[in-house]
Amino acid sequence: MKKIISVLLKYGLPIALSVLLVWFFYTHVDMEAIKQSFNSDFDQWWWFIPIFIISIMSHVFRALRWRLQLQAIGVKAPLSAVLDSIFGTYFVNLLVPRLGEVWRAGYIANRQKASFTKVTGSMVGDRLTDTVTVLALAVITFFLASSQVMQFLNMKSGNEQQHSMYTTWWFWVAVALMAGGCACLVWLYRTRDLDGIMGKVQKVTRNLWEGLAAIAKMKEKKKFVVYTVCLWGCYYTTLYLASLAFDFTRPLGAVAVLVLFVFSSLGMAVPTNGGVGAWQYAIIFGLAIYGIGTLPLGKVYDPQATSFAWVVWLFNQVVICLLGIYAFIHIAIDRKRIAQGRTLVETSGDSLQL
């Protein structure tokens, strides 16, 4: 029964949440208005050609970065295999949320005859780096876009006088909560073994810290940082170029797109298939801050904001599907070449067949 509940929570809940969010969006959009907005505002579609290329490059940088982590644990996988695993991860996640990470670790461990646990640990470190990056971007964006956010809040509250965020109570409450959270994490890490729920939280905290510490001990830390910057730079650039393809988002500018980017990145944390629903909602929310639509979101969502969110998301999913199909074809060819002895595999010595 515990295994059944665990499977339902890991896979059934995300799929159900995806269906619910899609249905919720469908009941809050005017399809005819969206079509009209698409036909009239999507006037420079050719921006999606460089978006396609940069999207592929983002996967390449992720593969290069993860390969450094694999090499640090003695797994010397070729770049082509690591790239296949990255392409396949997003494709599998699109079908079954969060399963792609397990498949990625299993594929590399099986191909290189490496420890599944070690490979999984490196994959967790990869995702943990993304989490830290998103949080850092959120803090940076908060300060860069503070004037716009405060202007929006003042407008919604009916205050004509502009206030700085540093004079608001919620800013200092947020600072206090972040400071308290950091203090709790330090306490959990430094305190001796705890029991019960706190013991499990302590274990997770220590594992996360050890994952970060392993990255800090990596020989090629500079490359790791460069690949991380390039990876997230590609993500941001694709969204910025997408904003240039639509007439109503073209005037937004770099900071406004950064706000959308952070919102959408946080939306991807919601366990749904490819972020469906949550990603669109985050984009629509962010656009409303900059005057494209209104907040709170009404019974019918703004057709321009909705068309932008769905077009960009659908294009990303098409790219993921194409790369996923390529990956599984290339994996089949690679396995055949290995079986025929035409491709040599450098194993790590701690074999674990899956």
Side-chain angles (χ1 to χ4, degrees):
M1 181 59 68
K2 289 183 178 180
K3 290 183 178 180
I4 294 175
I5 294 175
S6 177
V7 170
L8 289 175
L9 289 175
K10 287 182 178 179
Y11 307 119
L13 181 60
I15 293 175
L17 185 58
S18 299
V19 174
L20 178 63
L21 287 174
V22 171
W23 172 82
F24 182 78
F25 261 93
Y26 183 77
T27 58
H28 285 74
V29 298
D30 185 342
M31 295 303 298
E32 190 60 34
I34 291 175
K35 290 179 182 178
Q36 292 177 3
S37 174
F38 177 81
N39 293 329
S40 61
D41 299 317
F42 189 42
D43 55 348
Q44 295 189 14
W45 58 268
W46 49 266
W47 278 111
F48 279 83
I49 297 175
I51 289 174
F52 178 76
I53 298 172
I54 296 173
S55 296
I56 296 176
M57 289 306 302
S58 70
H59 293 296
V60 173
F61 285 123
R62 181 175 290 281
L64 288 168
R65 190 181 72 173
W66 190 39
R67 193 182 182 210
L68 290 178
Q69 294 174 271
L70 290 172
Q71 290 173 346
I73 60 174
V75 180
K76 299 180 180 180
L79 180 60
S80 59
V82 180
L83 197 56
D84 286 340
S85 72
I86 299 299
F87 289 162
T89 294
Y90 288 96
F91 183 72
V92 174
N93 277 340
L94 189 59
L95 302 175
V96 183
R98 304 300 184 245
L99 184 61
E101 278 72 19
V102 178
W103 174 86
R104 189 214 313 193
Y107 166 67
I108 292 296
N110 186 48
R111 188 188 187 281
Q112 303 303 130
K113 305 299 185 289
S115 167
F116 177 73
T117 303
K118 287 185 178 180
V119 176
T120 301
S122 68
M123 182 271 296
V124 172
D126 178 69
R127 287 305 191 186
L128 180 60
T129 304
D130 289 338
T131 302
V132 174
T133 303
V134 171
L135 293 176
L137 285 172
V139 173
I140 293 171
T141 304
F142 182 77
F143 285 98
L144 288 177
S146 60
S147 59
Q148 181 64 38
V149 173
M150 289 306 302
Q151 181 181 353
F152 172 79
L153 293 175
N154 288 326
M155 180 182 65
K156 285 299 176 183
S157 62
N159 295 329
E160 295 182 0
Q161 184 180 2
Q162 298 294 318
H163 298 284
S164 171
M165 69 174 181
Y166 304 109
T167 61
T168 58
W169 63 268
W170 52 265
F171 172 78
W172 293 107
V173 169
V175 170
L177 289 175
M178 286 190 290
C182 291
C184 288
L185 291 176
V186 172
W187 176 78
L188 284 170
Y189 182 78
R190 296 177 65 90
T191 307
R192 294 182 179 180
D193 294 339
L194 300 173
D195 297 325
I197 297 178
M198 292 303 297
K200 294 181 179 179
V201 174
Q202 183 185 54
K203 184 178 180 180
V204 171
T205 302
R206 288 181 174 176
N207 289 338
L208 292 177
W209 175 254
E210 289 173 3
L212 284 176
I215 294 173
K217 296 177 182 178
M218 189 181 299
K219 293 182 179 179
E220 298 182 284
K221 292 188 287 293
K222 291 182 179 179
K223 281 188 178 181
F224 188 87
V225 173
V226 169
Y227 291 151
T228 300
V229 172
C230 292
L231 165 64
W232 284 91
C234 286
Y235 287 161
Y236 170 77
T237 303
T238 56
L239 187 59
Y240 180 78
L241 294 180
S243 72
L244 299 180
F246 289 80
D247 179 65
F248 56 86
T249 54
R250 204 167 297 134
L252 286 177
V255 175
V257 175
L258 184 60
V259 173
L260 299 181
F261 178 64
V262 170
F263 281 174
S264 62
S265 299
L266 294 174
M268 288 298 294
V270 179
T272 60
N273 298 60
V276 62
W279 193 91
Q280 288 88 338
Y281 190 92
I283 290 291
I284 293 172
F285 184 91
L287 287 173
I289 292 179
Y290 288 89
I292 303 174
T294 58
L295 285 176
L297 301 179
K299 292 183 179 180
V300 179
Y301 295 160
D302 181 78
Q304 290 183 323
T306 306
S307 63
F308 175 82
W310 278 99
V311 166
V312 176
W313 182 85
L314 286 171
F315 181 82
N316 288 332
Q317 307 319 303
V318 170
V319 174
I320 288 173
C321 289
L322 292 175
L323 296 180
I325 292 171
Y326 162 80
F328 282 104
I329 293 175
H330 189 260
I331 287 172
I333 296 173
D334 182 57
R335 284 176 174 170
K336 185 176 181 180
R337 290 176 63 87
I338 292 174
Q340 294 174 347
R342 297 166 62 188
T343 297
L344 298 179
V345 178
E346 186 174 357
T347 62
S348 62
D350 51 352
S351 62
L352 175 63
Q353 292 276 4
L354 295 181

